[in-house]
Amino acid sequence: MRKSYYTKMINLIKPCITLKVQFILILFILLTINDVHSQNNISNVELELFSKIKLKDRSVPIKILGQDSTGYYILYGNGRYGQKSKSIIKFNLDFTPTDQEKVILNTKEEPNTEYLGTIQLNSNEIVFFTVTNEGESFAYYYEKIQLKQLKVSAKEFIKREEIDQYEFEYVNHHLFKPNPSYTAIVYEFFQKGTKKRLIKALYFDNNFSNITEQRYELPQTSKEFKWVHMRLIDDGSIFLLAKNMYSKNHFDYTLYHLKNNQFNILHELDKQEHYISDVQSILTENEFILSGYYSDISEDYMKGIFLYKLNLKNPEVHSIVYSPLKKEYFLQLLNENKANRVSEEIDKGNYEESYFDLRKIYRYENGDMVLIGEYRDTFYADAILYFVRQDLAIIKINKKGEILWSTKIGKNNTDLSTDMFGDNYIFSQDDSIYLIYNGNFRNLNHTSGKLFKMYSPGTSIILLKIDKEGNYFRESLYTTVQSDNYMLGTNFAGFRDGDALILLTHKMNNIKKQQFFKLNLVDQEKTDEILPTTNINDK
């Protein structure tokens, strides 16, 4: 109704004004609509914008390595996605760059060397890991860096793995630090001409004086064998969830336990009547937990939620529960006509949702969990690649796997040609979950039907808050009109500074121009706090 009113108003005055005045008027009206739509303010959040900066090279921040009383030390990577040379830049407390910069990896000089990750030894010292492809071998190295002095030690050799290129097809490398006392590098080889996947793990203490190695050969029935999740626990053993295609377009999920050069198959999750369509893992003191979506159609669909639990002290004890979503969930966000059609399909048993990816799982102290999913797809149209990022699926289950509530939230931050602006950042504070993403402020009150596109007038950085009862609130932090076309950058994962969150925006057509901002989360009365969980693939 509001849209119709403003459209009529513009059409009435359009013949009387120039194109330039029309443009200015439209922007004014859109900003007015923004004020009206921001009625559900998120009261415990304060926004702090830092100065805009311009870097010498085209580069993006990868992570904030540390901070002290004088500023922040940020690891940057050259290239659009930070995939090239790596350097540390010292920033002042107001997030303006200083002239202190140290190149750690120069990919022009070392084109066959790639960054593995970093670990933190203490507040001032980190370790930077790399791996170099030497043709017939892979060599692993580390460098110790003192942040305050930006002093880098000489590159130290860890281990060389001899590889016959005619025998192995590819190698993947992963860095883990399951506890403060040791670090592990895990790498896998797919061996040509065999049905084996070789996995090796190097364990070393913080002084790199004691290096041990474990070796595992896992059978695989197809070339489509793929790691899904891996967890290292305190004793150094590994829980590995892998999926393996065993028939056309169908994968099974197998949970392995790797320890002392031997492996055990603990469970085959998908050998039943259901398909596992997406899954993530959580490791607690006593349990290894898997949860995600399942389907009765294929891996691309979602019918409900499954919960798998494994007792770490007695791996023979495990359980799995499947909980279907109710009809009301699937009808959310649909207009009346489509809702009627979908309702009929559900009654016939023919309907499930497709292309929802599980983005994150949060676990509460009492064992309840919230699963956050997003509709994701990619397609070509008119020679343009579209990265579709749309509606959110927020589902809460209890420790038994029963669904407590489920809600869908409409959004549309589909990106064109690149996926630099279409992602979202998810974080938790106390008993609430927050998402921040590039969207359109005209969708703030959306409940059903069509959504405005991200790049149509109204582009904004949106903050979404979901409380533990499933209620949600949306607010536009600021528009691209107000920010001179700076948008939330998706390469930088964010940095928690106490109760504050630091994120990055950069100009749409020039990523050298950047601006950090801080969300201060004002203290509220704490109830059932969310336990911190880490994605297994985070470096």
Side-chain angles (χ1 to χ4, degrees):
M1 188 170 182
R2 180 179 292 111
K3 180 185 175 187
S4 175
Y5 168 79
Y6 284 111
T7 303
K8 289 178 181 178
M9 187 173 72
I10 291 172
N11 288 335
L12 282 173
I13 63 175
K14 190 182 290 184
C16 308
I17 57 178
T18 66
L19 287 174
K20 183 176 181 180
V21 175
Q22 287 180 40
F23 177 73
I24 295 172
L25 179 61
I26 291 170
L27 289 182
F28 172 78
I29 291 170
L30 289 175
L31 291 174
T32 304
I33 298 173
N34 185 31
D35 292 337
V36 174
H37 275 68
S38 297
Q39 54 188 305
N40 291 329
N41 290 330
I42 302 173
S43 59
N44 69 313
V45 175
E46 298 173 350
L47 175 66
E48 182 179 358
L49 291 171
F50 297 104
S51 299
K52 292 182 171 73
I53 61 175
K54 184 176 180 180
L55 301 175
K56 296 180 299 183
D57 301 312
R58 193 184 196 196
S59 58
V60 295
I62 297 171
K63 63 191 297 188
I64 296 181
L65 299 174
Q67 67 179 110
D68 57 27
S69 59
T70 63
Y72 298 88
Y73 302 87
I74 305 180
L75 178 65
Y76 266 79
N78 282 10
R80 181 181 235 179
Y81 301 102
Q83 75 277 20
K84 298 180 181 178
S85 298
K86 306 293 186 291
S87 60
I88 298 175
I89 302 176
K90 168 73 179 295
F91 280 71
N92 295 312
L93 291 173
D94 62 355
F95 280 92
T96 53
T98 70
D99 58 359
Q100 299 180 55
E101 180 176 352
K102 189 72 174 179
V103 176
I104 311 299
L105 171 62
N106 188 328
T107 53
K108 291 182 179 179
E109 297 177 359
E110 300 179 86
N112 297 321
T113 298
E114 66 177 274
Y115 163 71
L116 274 183
T118 61
I119 62 169
Q120 189 155 2
L121 297 181
N122 53 59
S123 60
N124 183 49
E125 193 172 26
I126 65 164
V127 183
F128 185 91
F129 292 89
T130 56
V131 57
T132 300
N133 185 345
E134 298 177 336
E136 296 182 353
S137 63
F138 282 89
Y140 298 92
Y141 297 91
Y142 74 92
E143 296 163 84
K144 289 187 176 181
I145 302 170
Q146 295 179 9
L147 293 177
K148 289 182 180 180
Q149 300 82 9
L150 282 185
K151 181 180 178 182
V152 182
S153 70
K155 182 182 286 189
E156 299 287 346
F157 173 74
I158 301 174
K159 167 78 176 177
R160 177 171 283 103
E161 185 69 43
E162 301 295 336
I163 299 173
D164 183 346
Q165 291 294 325
Y166 296 97
E167 182 180 4
F168 291 99
E169 187 163 305
Y170 63 81
V171 182
N172 287 330
H173 321 268
H174 304 269
L175 178 70
F176 299 96
K177 191 168 182 61
N179 68 42
S181 63
Y182 74 92
T183 303
I185 295 177
V186 181
Y187 43 100
E188 62 165 340
F189 310 96
F190 173 64
Q191 193 170 3
K192 287 184 177 181
T194 71
K195 293 184 178 181
K196 293 180 180 179
R197 182 65 56 97
L198 177 62
I199 294 178
K200 284 192 174 183
L202 297 178
Y203 302 89
F204 42 88
D205 59 24
N206 292 333
N207 294 320
F208 298 91
S209 58
N210 184 20
I211 300 177
T212 59
E213 178 182 311
Q214 301 284 339
R215 175 189 171 98
Y216 306 95
E217 288 188 3
L218 303 185
Q220 63 181 72
T221 58
S222 79
K223 192 176 176 180
E224 298 296 327
F225 183 98
K226 180 182 178 181
W227 289 14
V228 179
H229 286 287
M230 177 179 283
R231 295 281 188 181
L232 274 72
I233 61 176
D234 286 346
D235 65 1
S237 64
I238 299 171
F239 286 97
L240 170 66
L241 181 68
K243 68 177 184 178
N244 202 356
M245 181 181 285
Y246 68 86
S247 64
K248 185 177 181 181
N249 297 325
H250 189 90
F251 293 85
D252 73 313
Y253 284 80
T254 304
L255 181 62
Y256 298 90
H257 186 212
L258 314 180
K259 186 176 183 180
N260 297 330
N261 296 306
Q262 296 181 342
F263 73 89
N264 293 315
I265 296 178
L266 298 177
H267 201 79
E268 293 181 319
L269 276 73
D270 211 7
K271 291 290 190 181
Q272 303 180 38
E273 67 275 16
H274 303 295
Y275 298 85
I276 301 298
S277 55
D278 212 343
V279 59
Q280 287 197 13
S281 64
I282 292 176
L283 185 66
T284 71
E285 184 178 352
N286 299 312
E287 291 180 317
F288 180 75
I289 300 171
L290 297 171
S291 188
Y293 307 141
Y294 78 91
S295 167
D296 288 341
I297 299 175
S298 78
E299 280 80 8
D300 293 329
Y301 288 83
M302 174 176 66
K303 180 178 183 178
I305 304 298
F306 80 93
L307 177 66
Y308 172 87
K309 290 185 175 182
L310 176 76
N311 188 309
L312 292 178
K313 296 180 180 178
N314 185 2
E316 298 297 324
V317 178
H318 60 265
S319 62
I320 187 166
V321 175
Y322 296 90
S323 299
L325 287 157
K326 294 182 179 179
K327 180 178 182 178
E328 292 74 19
Y329 164 81
F330 295 105
L331 301 182
Q332 293 180 67
L333 303 184
L334 304 180
N335 59 38
E336 185 176 355
N337 290 334
K338 189 169 184 179
N340 290 334
R341 294 197 302 270
V342 169
S343 179
E344 293 177 2
E345 293 298 311
I346 293 174
D347 293 339
K348 296 176 184 177
N350 297 330
Y351 186 83
E352 293 184 7
E353 281 197 317
S354 60
Y355 299 111
F356 270 86
D357 285 355
L358 182 60
R359 299 298 314 286
K360 205 149 194 171
I361 298 178
Y362 285 102
R363 181 176 176 272
Y364 290 86
E365 289 179 325
N366 65 356
D368 292 351
M369 296 194 299
V370 175
L371 291 81
I372 302 169
E374 181 181 39
Y375 181 91
R376 290 188 156 213
D377 194 11
T378 306
F379 66 90
Y380 275 101
D382 299 324
I384 297 175
L385 180 62
Y386 289 82
F387 292 88
V388 180
R389 306 289 183 263
Q390 291 187 350
D391 302 337
L392 297 166
I394 316 294
I395 303 167
K396 187 174 184 179
I397 62 175
N398 62 21
K399 61 183 179 182
K400 297 179 181 179
E402 300 166 333
I403 296 175
L404 300 177
W405 52 257
S406 58
T407 187
K408 283 196 288 185
I409 302 172
K411 74 174 183 67
N412 184 351
N413 52 331
T414 294
D415 209 347
L416 311 178
S417 302
T418 175
D419 200 17
M420 291 186 66
F421 300 109
D423 213 335
N424 51 65
Y425 184 74
I426 308 171
F427 63 101
S428 65
Q429 176 73 13
D430 300 335
D431 59 351
S432 296
I433 295 169
Y434 298 81
L435 287 87
I436 183 169
Y437 57 90
N438 298 309
N440 194 308
F441 63 66
R442 293 185 289 170
N443 295 327
L444 290 180
N445 286 342
H446 176 270
T447 56
S448 65
K450 189 176 180 179
L451 287 154
F452 291 98
K453 295 179 181 179
M454 178 174 70
Y455 286 119
S456 62
T459 304
S460 304
I461 295 179
I462 305 295
L463 178 67
L464 166 68
K465 176 183 178 180
I466 307 152
D467 67 21
K468 66 175 184 177
E469 303 300 330
N471 304 306
Y472 61 89
F473 312 89
R474 290 174 285 197
E475 180 178 342
S476 170
L477 295 177
Y478 56 87
T479 69
T480 52
V481 173
Q482 295 166 325
S483 67
D484 190 25
N485 289 323
Y486 280 71
M487 296 181 69
L488 184 70
T490 57
N491 292 292
F492 183 53
F495 177 76
R496 292 301 295 265
D497 184 3
D499 285 342
L501 177 74
I502 297 168
L503 289 167
L504 175 81
T505 62
H506 48 76
K507 195 138 184 167
M508 279 191 280
N509 58 358
N510 187 353
I511 65 172
K512 292 181 183 179
K513 295 182 178 181
Q514 302 178 0
Q515 182 181 31
F516 286 92
F517 68 94
K518 179 184 287 189
L519 288 180
N520 294 297
L521 304 178
V522 181
D523 284 342
Q524 291 182 313
E525 182 181 352
K526 295 185 179 182
T527 53
D528 191 12
E529 188 168 356
I530 298 174
L531 296 175
T533 58
T534 303
N535 190 312
I536 178 170
N537 295 317
D538 289 346
K539 291 183 180 179

